[in-house]
Amino acid sequence: MGKFTKEMVDDLADKLLIGLTEEENKMVLDEFEIIDKTIDMINEIDGIKNIEPMTHALDDFEFVLREDIAKESISVEDALRNAGATEGREIEVPKVVD
């Protein structure tokens, strides 16, 4: 084996709160080994250290932002009129996190 060990995978699995069987641990180690060999192959490419990292998948990508124009919006009272349950100037929503 290379840089990765069963103990390292088990430790990472514990930190991620996932349990791995022996078979799953071996599968992860095999995948890490493939990834490690692929990275080694990439590092052997002539001049790879001189290549600037890509910042976006599209070379001609650019943000086109619209002008920020303030517009009048509806009143709080009109917005609350369409809401189901309200409390004062706030809309009540169901709790989604315990």
Side-chain angles (χ1 to χ4, degrees):
M1 279 278 149
K3 302 173 185 176
F4 304 100
T5 65
K6 177 188 179 315
E7 291 75 25
M8 288 171 64
V9 173
D10 283 337
D11 183 53
L12 289 172
D14 287 343
K15 289 177 181 175
L16 293 171
L17 303 176
I18 57 175
L20 295 180
T21 65
E22 291 296 319
E23 183 179 325
E24 291 168 331
N25 188 298
K26 181 173 177 356
M27 182 182 69
V28 170
L29 280 172
D30 291 344
E31 290 294 324
F32 279 171
E33 196 66 31
I34 292 169
I35 292 168
D36 195 37
K37 286 179 183 175
T38 304
I39 290 172
D40 287 343
M41 285 175 44
I42 292 170
N43 285 331
E44 291 175 9
I45 297 173
D46 287 339
I48 194 73
K49 303 287 186 208
N50 301 328
I51 303 297
E52 186 175 333
M54 209 165 59
T55 58
H56 198 277
L58 304 174
D59 291 338
D60 60 349
F61 182 80
E62 63 181 70
F63 287 104
V64 179
L65 302 176
R66 64 175 170 77
E67 189 175 338
D68 190 16
I69 301 171
K71 295 181 181 178
E72 191 169 328
S73 62
I74 64 172
S75 69
V76 173
E77 292 75 24
D78 285 342
L80 292 176
R81 201 171 302 134
N82 289 324
T86 61
E87 184 178 315
R89 294 174 46 107
E90 299 174 352
I91 298 173
E92 291 183 22
V93 295
K95 183 178 180 180
V96 293
V97 179
D98 282 326

